[in-house]
Amino acid sequence: MSETAEFNSSDKAAVSLQQTPLHALHLSLGARMAPFAGYDMPIQYASGIMSEHLHTRAAAGLFDVSHMGQAFLIGPSHASTALALEALVPADLVNLPAGRQRYTQLLNEAGGILDDLMVTRPADPTQDGVLMLVVNAACKEQDFAHIKAHLPAEVRLMPAPHRALLALQGPAAVEVLARHCAGVEALAFMSAGEFRFNGLTCHISRSGYTGEDGFEISLRAELAEQMARMLLRDDKVKMIGLGARDSLRLEAGLCLYGHDIDTTTSPIEAGLSWSIQKRRREEGGFPGAQRIQSELTQGPRRSRVGLMPDSRQPVREGSQILNEEGQAIGIVTSGGFAPSLNGPVAMGYVENAHAQIDTKVQLIVRGKALAARITRLPFAPHRYVRN
């Protein structure tokens, strides 16, 4: 799932920043820190964003994502908890199997996206009425308030600030993690369970936001540094900052909240219709259902597309997209250099009439029109393990 990529390097003394449980570790590793979503977070380490990005694609990158919002939704049964959350999101959670997770979106009444989130149903049958939530750091306070305000009396939300969250991503992630954690290699993509990591109790899902195979590990905050240091003893593992996290998700064609998706975009415009299962498409019963059902059958007014510039000039968010005749047809929402492709890429929204693959467009950068074409997403292939 996504989070805003705005890194603020202004004077930290001017704001009161929170720290993750790995803050001291980041400083000891020489991280360049900056304010991000109210936290003092690592943007990069000594080797730089390019090196960190390519290392994650080739081996295993360790990310501190403890600033994300973790919470438990608790009710008397799975059905009651799932139905309570289904009133706010378009995913089918009633039929979510135990030990599985789903990506979905909190929607407003107009079908716009308040935030995107991960929802996991624990594998443990004794936790039948529990759903685990992970929301974006910058949105967590308003997300939790929104959810609480719409829950029935028998269901309650319990935020979990006492827990840390680590992500181990890349083709070597499974090999590395399995050395510490028996049985984790049997997890398939978007599956989860409780495990013991060298004696430490943790919850692990096979998921992440880089396009690579990988895992997200939730555990008590006081145990996070111990786990991270054990993982970093392996030569295949490097600590990775938020700079490479952003370039990795862009190459993977994944949405960034506050940029590629926001309160004005619907899941259908954003290319997220796959996250709405058949029952919810037919029955509705979630905010903005009328708009979303209409867009599913008739198509949205605009669509999120990949953009491949012809030149090596980087294209940033906010750049206007024109057709070949010079008419405005859309806007860039994410852009940057793609280390795996050794060139710039971007994503944005264009009117549906211009959304076909290989359509030639112009991108306005500093007043100059740059030639580009619409291309398929993702830019770098996903390597999830689905078996």
Side-chain angles (χ1 to χ4, degrees):
M1 55 177 296
S2 61
E3 57 188 339
T4 176
E6 293 176 353
F7 311 130
N8 183 358
S9 58
S10 60
D11 184 6
K12 297 177 189 177
V15 291
S16 177
L17 295 176
Q18 298 183 69
Q19 298 177 358
T20 75
L22 296 186
H23 190 265
L25 176 61
H26 298 315
L27 296 180
S28 73
L29 295 174
R32 179 169 74 82
M33 309 293 286
F36 176 76
Y39 285 80
D40 194 26
M41 294 295 292
I43 305 307
Q44 65 179 74
Y45 299 86
S47 63
I49 292 173
M50 175 94 67
S51 172
E52 293 172 27
H53 178 115
L54 294 174
H55 180 87
T56 304
R57 291 273 186 247
L62 181 62
F63 301 77
D64 178 10
V65 286
S66 301
H67 59 313
M68 305 286 275
Q70 298 186 72
F72 298 94
L73 200 60
I74 304 168
S77 67
H78 172 68
S80 60
T81 308
L83 286 170
L85 191 54
E86 280 191 2
L88 302 176
V89 305
D92 181 350
L93 302 176
V94 168
N95 294 308
L96 179 63
R100 295 287 294 173
Q101 66 179 184
R102 279 194 174 140
Y103 168 83
T104 190
Q105 308 84 32
L106 282 173
L107 301 178
N108 61 26
E109 291 302 323
I113 301 172
L114 297 169
D115 196 10
D116 57 346
L117 67 157
M118 298 296 297
V119 181
T120 305
R121 182 181 178 183
D124 185 348
T126 67
Q127 300 184 52
D128 182 59
V130 177
L131 290 174
M132 303 175 68
L133 313 181
V134 180
V135 304
N136 284 306
C139 304
K140 61 185 175 184
E141 298 304 328
Q142 55 262 45
D143 285 354
F144 293 160
H146 177 75
I147 293 170
K148 285 180 179 179
H150 292 85
L151 290 178
E154 70 274 12
V155 180
R156 62 189 174 95
L157 181 75
M158 186 178 78
H162 62 288
R163 298 189 71 83
L165 190 65
L166 308 181
L168 186 66
Q169 301 282 296
V174 64
E175 172 193 341
V176 170
L177 193 56
R179 293 194 191 111
H180 303 271
C181 201
V184 75
E185 67 280 359
L187 286 177
F189 180 57
M190 299 294 274
S191 293
E194 297 289 327
F195 291 88
R196 298 283 286 177
F197 179 104
N198 292 0
L200 306 179
T201 300
C202 56
H203 183 273
I204 300 178
S205 65
R206 197 161 194 168
S207 61
Y209 220 66
T210 62
E212 294 292 334
D213 181 28
F215 303 85
E216 293 198 342
I217 309 165
S218 174
L219 74 167
R220 294 191 65 86
E222 64 269 21
L223 303 176
E225 183 173 341
Q226 182 182 352
M227 176 180 287
R229 289 187 180 277
M230 284 190 281
L231 287 168
L232 289 168
R233 290 182 193 136
D234 194 305
D235 290 341
K236 294 184 178 180
V237 180
K238 285 179 61 174
M239 205 78 204
I240 310 297
L242 294 183
R245 178 171 162 85
D246 188 51
S247 59
L248 287 158
R249 73 90 201 163
L250 176 58
E251 283 188 353
L254 301 173
C255 291
L256 189 66
Y257 190 77
H259 300 254
D260 307 298
I261 51 176
D262 57 27
T263 56
T264 69
T265 46
S266 77
I268 313 310
E269 291 177 323
L272 303 175
S273 56
W274 55 266
S275 67
I276 307 175
Q277 289 72 37
K278 182 179 178 182
R279 178 177 71 84
R280 304 308 310 281
R281 295 183 183 209
E282 294 175 350
E283 295 178 4
F286 50 85
Q290 184 175 1
R291 171 190 177 182
I292 289 171
Q293 288 171 322
S294 174
E295 289 180 348
L296 281 166
T297 57
Q298 301 177 29
R301 179 181 58 84
R302 58 177 183 162
S303 295
R304 180 172 63 96
V305 297
L307 297 159
M308 187 70 71
D310 289 351
S311 70
R312 295 183 63 81
Q313 174 78 38
V315 179
R316 302 298 181 187
E317 177 186 359
S319 298
Q320 199 172 35
I321 305 171
L322 311 181
N323 63 15
E324 288 192 289
E325 288 71 46
Q327 300 168 319
I329 58 170
I331 195 84
V332 171
T333 54
S334 282
F337 186 80
S340 304
L341 282 67
N342 194 31
V345 296
M347 295 192 299
Y349 285 85
V350 298
E351 298 168 5
N352 254 12
H354 304 276
Q356 290 79 14
I357 301 301
D358 290 328
T359 297
K360 293 181 179 180
V361 296
Q362 303 174 71
L363 308 176
I364 305 302
V365 179
R366 297 178 182 174
K368 181 181 178 181
L370 302 179
R373 61 183 173 85
I374 290 174
T375 188
R376 296 185 189 280
L377 293 171
F379 301 105
H382 294 170
R383 297 199 281 188
Y384 307 132
V385 175
R386 298 183 183 275
N387 59 301

